[in-house]
Amino acid sequence: MGAHNGPTLITSVQRAFRLLEAASAHENGAPAKQLAREAGLPLATAYHLLRTLAHDGYIRKLDDGGFVLGDKLQALQTAGRDQTLLSRVRPTLAALRDEFATATYLTFYEDGEIRVAEIVDGPRAPRVDLWVGFQDAGHATALGKSVLRELDDESRKEYLSRHTLNDLTPRTITSPAELLRRLDSSPVAPAVTDLEEYALGTVCVAVPVYSGDTLGALGVSLPVDRLSRIEEIRARLLPTASRVTRSLSLTI
């Protein structure tokens, strides 16, 4: 029974993939009969698989009865593209981690939020305890402040109108006006720092990066007793950020 079920399941998966491939060739949709013919499947089999794929969001049925690729498959394609891009820069992030024994972070500003895309750490370079998510701590992290520094005035105001500047440590800046003043007068621009503003005992430095038109930040965290190295690290971050931006902006 097991030997019989295995090949049957494999065959069903193969048929579903063939239908998806056929549907991908028709931007404006195609009827089940045409997809069945192009996939080399009996019409009844195609109907059954299309219903299943549509139920799970991999195929979408149009009002005219045609079928196109669904939102779920589009999301997988986007995620796959993002993973491919990140795979290009992980060696660069790891090299930075190994050189300075610092956890390395990459964030992006997407849909109005600052999101962590990658963290490269290790036994000698532990990451900071992310006890508050970056979406709620953009004002207190070097990575978040790097993004805010690069945004235009309208985008900054819009972001700050949606986020409360909570005092995460006694050093956290909680005044929007003071935060913007310090961002615009950063003595290490275009880099910015977080001097125990997110977590006591930890300092960070970050610089801007881009993935195409998407703004982000590259940064590192280190114990406060190594603060004296922050200028050396900043000097290395700038050319590294340029390499990361070039890698992320290449067409896949």
Side-chain angles (χ1 to χ4, degrees):
M1 180 68 71
H4 176 72
N5 286 343
T8 300
L9 290 174
I10 292 172
T11 301
S12 294
V13 171
Q14 291 172 331
R15 289 172 173 173
F17 281 143
R18 281 154 57 188
L19 276 175
L20 291 171
E21 290 170 354
S24 70
H26 300 281
E27 184 177 348
N28 297 317
K33 185 178 295 185
Q34 182 177 354
L35 295 178
R37 183 171 63 252
E38 293 177 1
L41 299 175
L43 183 57
T45 300
Y47 270 128
H48 172 72
L49 290 172
L50 287 169
R51 282 196 299 269
T52 301
L53 291 168
H55 178 269
D56 290 336
Y58 293 103
I59 285 282
R60 180 163 58 90
K61 189 174 184 179
L62 303 175
D63 292 339
D64 64 5
F67 293 88
V68 295
L69 296 181
D71 294 339
K72 194 168 186 178
L73 193 60
Q74 300 288 0
L76 288 175
Q77 290 174 329
T78 300
R81 177 182 177 276
D82 291 345
Q83 286 300 314
T84 299
L85 287 173
L86 289 175
S87 70
R88 291 177 175 176
V89 301
R90 283 192 189 101
T92 301
L93 304 186
L96 194 64
R97 173 202 61 193
D98 294 342
E99 180 177 1
F100 294 107
T102 56
T104 305
Y105 309 80
L106 184 65
T107 62
F108 291 109
Y109 188 63
E110 298 173 320
D111 300 323
E113 299 294 347
I114 299 164
R115 307 184 192 280
V116 179
E118 188 70 13
I119 301 177
V120 179
D121 57 0
R124 295 180 56 247
R127 69 183 67 185
V128 65
D129 178 17
L130 302 179
W131 68 286
V132 176
F134 272 58
Q135 292 185 24
D136 298 314
H139 64 294
T141 67
L143 292 152
K145 291 195 292 180
S146 177
V147 168
L148 290 173
R149 184 182 182 279
E150 298 301 310
L151 292 176
D152 59 42
D153 288 342
E154 183 177 346
S155 297
R156 282 177 173 180
K157 290 177 182 177
E158 194 279 330
Y159 177 88
L160 292 173
S161 72
R162 295 183 288 106
H163 295 83
T164 302
L165 307 190
N166 295 310
D167 53 341
L168 306 183
T169 79
R171 295 178 176 271
T172 305
I173 303 169
T174 57
S175 163
E178 177 64 12
L179 176 65
L180 295 178
R181 186 191 70 79
R182 293 199 190 187
L183 290 178
D184 290 334
S185 61
S186 172
V188 292
V192 295
T193 57
D194 150 23
L195 304 179
E196 299 186 274
E197 296 160 49
Y198 177 77
L200 292 176
T202 299
V203 297
C204 305
V205 58
V207 296
V209 296
Y210 284 87
S211 177
D213 294 329
T214 302
L215 170 64
L218 169 69
V220 301
S221 64
L222 59 156
V224 68
D225 60 11
R226 295 173 58 200
L227 180 60
S228 60
R229 297 201 67 188
I230 207 164
E231 175 57 30
E232 176 189 2
I233 295 172
R234 182 194 70 85
R236 181 56 59 89
L237 271 177
L238 292 170
T240 301
S242 295
R243 288 198 301 274
V244 168
T245 292
R246 288 195 300 270
S247 295
L248 292 174
S249 299
L250 291 173
T251 302
I252 294 178

